[in-house]
Amino acid sequence: MNPFHFTQGSLPLLVSIPHAGTELTPDVEAGLSEAARGLPDTDWHIPLLYDFVRDLGASVLIGRYSRFVVDLNRPPDNQPLYTSATTGLFPETLFDGTPTFAPGKTPDDTARQGYIDQIWQPYHQQIQQELARLKAQHGYALLFDAHSIASEIPRLFDGRLPDINIGTNDGASCTPAMSAALEAVCAAQNDYSWVINGRFKGGYITRAYGQPQQQIEAVQLELAQLNYMDETPPYAWQQARAARLQNVLKALIHAMLAQAKPQ
Ligand SMILES: [Zn+2]
């Protein structure tokens, strides 16, 4: 099975969605703990929430496998992403700290190497290929890494997460002008709380590919899930809330495209 869905667009923009996948390998499926079986840490419905970008003309890359198989937004050497509590390339625990796997059922090193070779690598090769194609065609490339997470996870952050969490690797993954353009969109609305480079500064994808000096600008958006879905199983999509949130997402994407366009 192809480990990702990819559609090519006409704009200089690639939208990457690494954590919405729910496919499992047989080893992982057989080994998941009771608490992990409902795939609680999935970035639920993100492809649907960002469906509009395809009509705009963006390229879209969507991982098909669950992060419980291998996390596409972690470095392949599994260095920790944050100094605070985090989860790794092969999450041993759920966000709330409960074990991901039943005792003795964690996939072995051979299985895990296979997940890197057959799932992690192809996703990243596709990002690299597409960014190179966009740059060749347009002279620059934009990468938008789309995520969501439950609004309250005491083990990972205090209190309630802001609604909109923009990450630019502390300013290293895009130009200051791009950061300012996104900030202006956030500041122009009063519906959602927001922060830039707060708890979520951008994961491996944002950090690895955001190289503004090479004409590649990358931004991560971590959304609080309550603004478009129920945060408890079965994690239902909430259309009215989603439609309202999509207005801001569209404004952010348009601002990104307008800012990057050569004058
Ligand atoms: Zn995510």
Side-chain angles (χ1 to χ4, degrees):
M1 183 174 81
N2 194 336
F4 56 76
H5 288 290
F6 176 68
T7 47
Q8 196 162 84
S10 53
L11 290 171
L13 170 66
L14 170 63
V15 175
S16 153
I17 303 178
H19 288 156
T22 54
E23 296 284 345
L24 300 170
T25 61
D27 275 9
V28 170
E29 186 165 22
L32 286 181
S33 66
E34 192 67 40
R37 276 189 208 139
L39 308 182
D41 302 337
T42 304
D43 293 7
W44 296 108
H45 310 297
I46 287 291
L48 180 57
L49 190 66
Y50 284 91
D51 205 32
F52 67 90
V53 299
R54 232 182 299 252
D55 296 331
L56 285 178
S59 297
V60 182
L61 178 62
I62 305 172
R64 294 182 65 175
Y65 281 92
S66 165
R67 71 190 302 156
F68 294 164
V69 179
V70 60
D71 191 330
L72 298 169
N73 201 26
R74 294 294 181 274
D77 65 0
N78 204 12
Q79 287 302 301
L81 210 51
Y82 295 98
T83 50
S84 48
T86 185
T87 54
L89 185 66
F90 303 106
E92 301 278 351
T93 70
L94 307 182
F95 290 156
D96 69 6
T98 357
T100 308
F101 292 94
K105 298 281 193 148
T106 307
D108 63 22
D109 289 347
T110 311
R112 286 174 158 183
Q113 188 57 50
Y115 304 156
I116 293 179
D117 296 344
Q118 290 158 33
I119 299 170
W120 195 99
Q121 291 291 359
Y123 191 88
H124 284 268
Q125 278 160 13
Q126 187 65 42
I127 292 182
Q128 289 162 22
Q129 245 177 54
E130 181 61 4
L131 291 177
R133 186 191 72 84
L134 294 177
K135 228 179 109 170
Q137 188 172 334
H138 302 275
Y140 63 98
L142 302 173
L143 174 61
F144 187 99
D145 206 40
H147 296 261
S148 72
I149 193 164
S151 58
E152 292 189 26
I153 303 178
R155 183 174 159 266
L156 294 190
F157 47 84
D158 293 332
R160 186 187 171 289
L161 194 67
D163 298 314
I164 293 171
N165 301 266
I166 294 175
T168 67
N169 192 17
D170 283 330
S173 71
C174 68
T175 60
M178 180 63 75
S179 187
L182 298 175
E183 185 167 346
V185 171
C186 294
Q189 56 81 46
N190 290 311
D191 292 334
Y192 303 101
S193 57
W194 57 278
V195 67
I196 298 186
N197 295 310
R199 168 64 179 82
F200 294 98
K201 299 175 190 298
Y204 176 75
I205 290 171
T206 309
R207 299 181 198 186
Y209 301 115
Q211 297 172 2
Q213 64 287 356
Q214 302 289 323
Q215 288 74 51
I216 300 178
E217 299 198 74
V219 170
Q220 172 174 298
L221 179 52
E222 186 79 74
L223 291 169
Q225 291 179 329
L226 80 170
N227 291 309
Y228 71 93
M229 59 173 269
D230 296 337
E231 291 187 351
T232 49
Y235 308 110
W237 169 261
Q238 291 296 338
Q239 175 58 32
R241 277 186 257 161
R244 196 162 144 254
L245 179 59
Q246 280 169 328
N247 290 327
V248 182
L249 301 181
K250 284 174 191 168
L252 287 169
I253 297 276
H254 281 293
M256 199 173 174
L257 288 163
Q259 170 55 39
K261 198 168 183 162
Q263 302 300 310

